[in-house]
Amino acid sequence: MSIWEYANPKRFMQTSAWVLPWVAVLALACLVAGLIWGFFFTPDDFRQGSTVKIIYLHVPSAMMAINAWVMMLVTSLIWLVRRHHVSALAAKAAAPIGLTFTVIALVTGAFWGQPMWGTWWAWDPRLTSFLILTLFYLGYIALWQAVENPDTAADLTAVLCLVGSVFALLSRYAVLFWNQGLHQGASLSLDKEENVADVFWLPLLVCIAGFVLLFVALVLMRTRTEIRARRLQALLARERLA
Amino acid sequence: MELSVSDLAVARGGLRVLEGLSFRLAAGRALILRGPNGVGKTTLLRTLAGLQPPLVGQVSLPPEAIAYAAHADGLKAVLTVAENLEFWAAIHGTDRVGRALEEMNLVALRNRLAANLSAGQKRRLGLARLLVTGREMWLLDEPTVSLDAASVALFGGVVRAHLAAGGAALIATHIDLGLAEAEVLELGPYRAKSPAAGGARGDFDEVFG
Amino acid sequence: MGALLSRDLRLAMRAGGGFGLGLAFFLLLAVLVPLGVGPEGGTLGRIAPGILWVGALLACLLSLDRIFALDFEDGSLDLLATSPMPLEAVVAVKALAHWMVTGVPLTLVAPVLGVLLNLPVEGYGWLVLSLALGTPALSVIGAFGAALVVGVKRGGLLLSLLVLPLYVPTLIFGAEVVKRGAAGLEVAVPLLLLAGITLAAGALLPFAAAAAIRINLR
């Protein structure tokens, strides 16, 4: 049996109906455990105080903001090469979720930045990159909504996603070139594991797992909705033709 | 040169409209497509022109032999009649502008802007583009719209001359062009069956029982 | 190919609107910014490179939707797609025509507007060079965006939303060249990166744009 069998909408609906509750429960469990652990059972940082605890929202959502785009890139490629409708619809379903994660990352970043850097917003390269990523998400979603024929929309957004990925990467480096930024020099760099003590790191891992599972659950749910909407559209169009 | 279509199915907006269509069109022949509105004449012509892929089936003629004339003529209002044709002649690498102007009775209008032509004159200019392309297989979508009786007769003569010179034409029209030798293909019987009647189903139909 | 280029140039000349409007917009921006920011020369000189680049970019954006939309509406695009000319070449030539009627005039008037904005003397050469190198990328990227929305009615605003994020690297490197040039610093790195973007976009994006047009014509 090949993995592509799950690309059949009917098969996908059956499998996802079975998987979805489990993923959702697991996501909820991880998030509740990770956030409670992180917020209430970790010590305050000696320099940042309790503000540091926003990493349990900020870091996972920032990671998922990028991962969602990567997932859209992969599913768009699968659609272009193999023409599986589920793949295109999964990309469509993931975009608003990715946008939401991006906005959460920006907002939590502002809440954290205000006490740390003394400003809600700085044109730091990473902040700027995320702002640009927001624009890419908005354009992608707007194109899906503007094109009426669903297959045409799927093709065009897939092409946009491919080209957009290249330009998003290019923008990332252009922005680094443009401003070296605050993020790297900040007291707590999460890129470097050694800077984060285990007491912070373990609950953070649980939160990240929770966000990944939450993303999977939301994508599954939204893809199911898109498949149903698409089928409804097909039935209505057929009725009009008859 | 021969156009041969076998077991073709075409779709409009994701819906199958025609299926099981097979026919041949040899050089020197004309085929008239008939059928009620919405049966898929335009969709069929666009598919044959290579603008959209067929759902199933084969089209044997390469798109390079095809000159397609749609509802829209592709004229630029701010260019003159001659400039419009010269552009398409240059794109197709031919120099038949003078002859096309003569055959479509546009010589007197050659320096007039396309914006100042009547609907019928525009249509004649649009059809003159076919002559300029130098291609053999004409796919014509309602070519006689807004033409008067004299122009229809003129165009009928042009098509006949094209056939005599070894060309071929596939014409969707309800108007008699005076092509006595043309065969007629009625598209009604090839209308796609609805899934309820046992026809093929769309992607999102077939997978739900 | 020459025929398509000369036709597009002739259409732009006769129909008007397109590039005259872009230039007027560019001029307006250079007048309005000092009115908003204040007449102080040092401030204006410091922001001039960015303002001029943003202005050129927005002026370029104004006429993007005309690249394919007019040909789509009157049926020419169908006929071009069935013509012997590859659609990739059609895209490249039309982007070139767009650059010749917007990018070139913008580049030529930019130094004049630089005077209005107190651009330091050292910056003028770099301003012209960076615009000459960068505006072709704006036209090609814009042609890709225009190809995506060619089937969408009133796609102008959507086109801006799609194209502006794609303009970010060009804008950053282009403005950086002028900024560094005006400050008397080394400009080689951003200049080469800008040229690289233009070359890569010119080489690759016509294929993506042609694919988008084929999808839209289906």
Side-chain angles (χ1 to χ4, degrees):
Chain A
M1 198 199 89
S2 130
I3 187 172
W4 299 114
E5 278 187 29
Y6 293 100
N8 172 308
K10 190 177 184 184
R11 190 66 200 272
F12 176 84
M13 290 302 270
Q14 287 168 347
T15 313
S16 61
W18 186 82
V19 171
L20 182 55
W22 291 98
V23 179
V25 167
L26 218 57
L28 194 70
C30 283
L31 282 177
V32 168
L35 288 177
I36 289 179
W37 185 1
F39 283 163
F40 301 108
F41 297 98
T42 54
D44 286 356
D45 183 75
F46 72 101
R47 271 167 66 199
Q48 305 201 28
S50 59
T51 54
V52 72
K53 292 180 177 179
I54 205 157
I55 59 167
Y56 299 112
L57 288 173
H58 180 72
V59 173
S61 54
M63 285 178 69
M64 291 319 292
I66 294 166
N67 290 347
W69 186 273
V70 174
M71 176 235 151
M72 282 157 56
L73 175 62
V74 172
T75 47
S76 295
L77 272 171
I78 293 174
W79 159 250
L80 285 180
V81 176
R82 296 198 57 119
R83 315 301 289 176
H84 291 310
H85 284 88
V86 171
S87 190
L89 293 179
K92 182 184 185 186
I97 305 170
L99 176 64
T100 311
F101 281 132
T102 315
V103 172
I104 292 176
L106 281 172
V107 170
T108 53
F111 287 160
W112 192 8
Q114 208 283 328
M116 285 304 101
W117 304 334
T119 172
W120 293 99
W121 180 261
W123 287 95
D124 164 85
R126 248 190 246 188
L127 294 186
T128 313
S129 298
F130 268 78
L131 200 59
I132 295 168
L133 185 62
T134 315
L135 297 179
F136 275 103
Y137 273 120
L138 283 175
Y140 178 88
I141 295 169
L143 187 61
W144 260 110
Q145 297 196 334
V147 180
E148 261 169 57
N149 183 310
D151 279 355
T152 309
D155 280 332
L156 291 176
T157 50
V159 173
L160 176 67
C161 188
L162 294 192
V163 174
S165 301
V166 175
F167 275 87
L169 212 61
L170 205 59
S171 304
R172 171 89 182 106
Y173 288 102
V175 163
L176 272 179
F177 179 84
W178 164 80
N179 185 352
Q180 298 305 319
L182 297 166
H183 242 110
Q184 301 297 334
S187 53
L188 183 96
S189 167
L190 292 154
D191 287 343
K192 300 189 205 103
E193 230 179 284
E194 65 267 26
N195 282 8
V196 188
D198 275 356
V199 274
F200 298 117
W201 187 246
L202 291 175
L204 183 59
L205 280 183
V206 178
C207 281
I208 290 172
F211 268 75
V212 172
L213 290 165
L214 177 67
F215 175 73
V216 173
L218 289 173
V219 168
L220 285 178
M221 204 186 298
R222 288 183 53 87
T223 308
R224 289 169 60 80
T225 311
E226 292 292 346
I227 290 174
R228 289 200 175 104
R230 192 53 210 280
R231 175 154 197 246
L232 192 63
Q233 224 176 351
L235 291 176
L236 284 173
R238 210 178 71 199
E239 205 132 284
R240 250 180 278 125
L241 196 73
Chain B
M1 181 210 59
E2 186 189 58
L3 169 67
S4 113
V5 166
S6 56
D7 195 29
L8 188 73
V10 297
R12 180 179 58 227
L15 285 170
R16 190 180 272 245
V17 285
L18 289 171
E19 63 189 7
L21 189 61
S22 301
F23 64 85
R24 285 165 177 278
L25 180 55
R29 311 289 301 171
L31 186 62
I32 311 274
L33 296 175
R34 288 263 162 78
N37 288 335
V39 77
K41 295 189 289 286
T42 299
T43 311
L44 174 61
L45 289 176
R46 288 183 70 85
T47 307
L48 296 179
L51 286 169
Q52 64 179 72
L55 270 186
V56 276
Q58 274 92 41
V59 178
S60 78
L61 192 72
E64 287 78 39
I66 287 170
Y68 171 57
H71 294 285
D73 288 316
L75 301 178
K76 290 297 172 189
V78 295
L79 298 185
T80 67
V81 169
E83 282 170 339
N84 266 299
L85 286 182
E86 275 155 12
F87 167 66
W88 290 110
I91 290 288
H92 284 270
T94 66
D95 54 350
R96 308 180 180 209
V97 175
R99 230 187 74 201
L101 286 171
E102 261 165 49
E103 287 192 38
M104 289 309 292
N105 194 18
L106 289 162
V107 177
L109 301 171
R110 60 176 304 147
N111 290 323
R112 194 180 288 191
L113 289 183
N116 302 330
L117 297 179
S118 75
Q121 288 165 337
K122 275 186 191 152
R123 195 65 191 159
R124 265 171 30 220
L125 176 53
L127 294 171
R129 190 189 58 82
L130 290 169
L131 293 164
V132 154
T133 61
R135 290 184 164 183
E136 294 152 325
M137 175 61 63
W138 288 2
L139 304 179
L140 309 176
D141 198 350
E142 301 288 356
T144 55
V145 169
S146 61
L147 289 185
D148 58 17
S151 301
V152 170
L154 176 78
F155 182 60
V158 168
V159 174
R160 225 172 293 125
H162 177 64
L163 300 183
L170 185 61
I171 311 170
T173 183
H174 290 100
I175 309 253
D176 185 16
L177 281 170
L179 300 169
E181 68 279 25
E183 294 157 61
V184 173
L185 178 65
E186 196 58 60
L187 285 178
Y190 299 102
R191 198 194 281 262
K193 280 200 219 59
S194 79
R201 315 172 91 190
D203 291 313
F204 275 78
D205 273 352
E206 66 195 7
V207 292
F208 290 93
Chain C
M1 291 202 183
L4 183 58
L5 183 65
S6 70
R7 180 194 77 149
D8 268 27
L9 294 179
R10 204 180 286 171
L11 288 176
M13 298 296 185
R14 293 201 191 158
F19 75 108
L21 217 61
L23 274 182
F25 178 85
F26 197 27
L27 173 69
L28 272 179
L29 196 85
V31 173
L32 289 180
V33 165
L35 292 180
V37 172
E40 203 266 306
T43 314
L44 282 177
R46 219 169 31 252
I47 63 172
I51 298 295
L52 289 169
W53 252 94
V54 170
L57 188 149
L58 293 176
C60 185
L61 199 65
L62 281 182
S63 50
L64 282 183
D65 61 336
R66 299 166 60 106
I67 298 184
F68 298 117
L70 298 179
D71 281 336
F72 179 73
E73 281 158 18
D74 67 17
S76 308
L77 206 53
D78 278 342
L79 303 179
L80 281 170
T82 55
S83 80
M85 193 169 170
L87 209 46
E88 288 77 7
V90 171
V91 172
V93 169
K94 287 179 91 55
L96 177 65
H98 179 264
W99 178 69
M100 288 171 73
V101 296
T102 56
V104 171
L106 289 174
T107 306
L108 294 179
V109 301
V112 182
L113 303 186
V115 176
L116 289 180
L117 289 169
N118 282 66
L119 183 71
V121 184
E122 298 80 12
Y124 286 91
W126 300 119
L127 176 66
V128 173
L129 185 63
S130 71
L131 283 173
L133 278 178
T135 45
L138 299 183
S139 287
V140 178
I141 296 169
F144 167 68
L148 282 178
V149 303
V150 74
V152 178
K153 286 190 191 66
R154 287 185 296 281
L157 197 61
L158 176 63
L159 179 58
S160 316
L161 186 59
L162 296 183
V163 164
L164 283 178
L166 302 179
Y167 276 175
V168 167
T170 317
L171 170 67
I172 287 180
F173 292 128
E176 192 71 25
V177 169
V178 189
K179 248 185 288 175
R180 293 193 179 189
L185 300 171
E186 180 63 42
V187 298
V189 175
L191 199 64
L192 289 174
L193 287 168
L194 183 66
I197 288 176
T198 296
L199 290 175
L204 298 175
L205 278 181
F207 292 92
I213 290 177
R214 286 200 187 91
I215 293 163
N216 269 316
L217 289 182
R218 253 183 355 221

